Amino acid sequence: MYKSSLAVVVFLLFQQSAALEINQASEAELDGLRGIGPPFTRRLLAAREQQLFTDWSDLQARVKGMGPRLSLSLSEQGLTVNGQKFQAQTGFEKTIR
C-alpha cells in the first residue's frame, strides 16, 4: 500500500513540474493552467491554428491579454514555447510581485 501511494505522489509531482508545450497542448491542458480560462484558451488556440508560436514575444503579440505577468505565471507552471521558458527582463520579477 505504501509503495503504491508513494508512486501516485511522485507521479502527480512529476506531472505538475513537467513542461507543457503551447504548440502541442490540448484545450483541456491549457484550461488546466491557473490564470487562464476557456475564453482565453479559445483565443490562444485560434491564433495557434493560423500559425504556430515561434517564441514568447510572438505569443504575446498575437494573443490579446498575454503580457509579461501572465507569461511568467504560465511559464512557472511549466508552459513552454518551442521548449523555452519565459525569460523575464532583469528586475521584472521584482516589479510584478
Side-chain angles (χ1 to χ4, degrees):
M1 169 125 175
Y2 175 76
K3 287 182 182 180
S4 63
S5 297
L6 181 60
V8 169
V9 169
V10 169
F11 174 76
L12 291 174
L13 288 173
F14 175 75
Q15 288 298 98
Q16 290 178 346
S17 65
L20 177 63
E21 173 56 44
I22 198 163
N23 287 319
Q24 299 171 353
S26 69
E27 183 174 0
E29 289 171 321
L30 293 169
D31 278 343
L33 295 169
R34 289 182 316 277
I36 63 174
F40 187 89
T41 299
R42 285 191 294 273
R43 286 196 310 269
L44 195 151
L45 292 174
R48 186 177 78 182
E49 273 185 36
Q50 294 175 349
Q51 182 178 345
L52 296 180
F53 300 107
T54 57
D55 55 27
W56 283 94
S57 61
D58 178 39
L59 173 62
Q60 291 174 349
R62 294 175 39 209
V63 179
K64 181 181 177 185
M66 178 62 82
R69 183 180 306 233
L70 183 56
S71 296
L72 180 61
S73 172
L74 296 176
S75 182
E76 287 174 345
Q77 294 177 64
L79 190 69
T80 62
V81 179
N82 283 328
Q84 300 299 310
K85 291 185 173 195
F86 179 69
Q87 298 294 316
Q89 297 172 346
T90 304
F92 173 77
E93 293 169 342
K94 294 177 186 173
T95 61
I96 66 165
R97 290 186 185 215

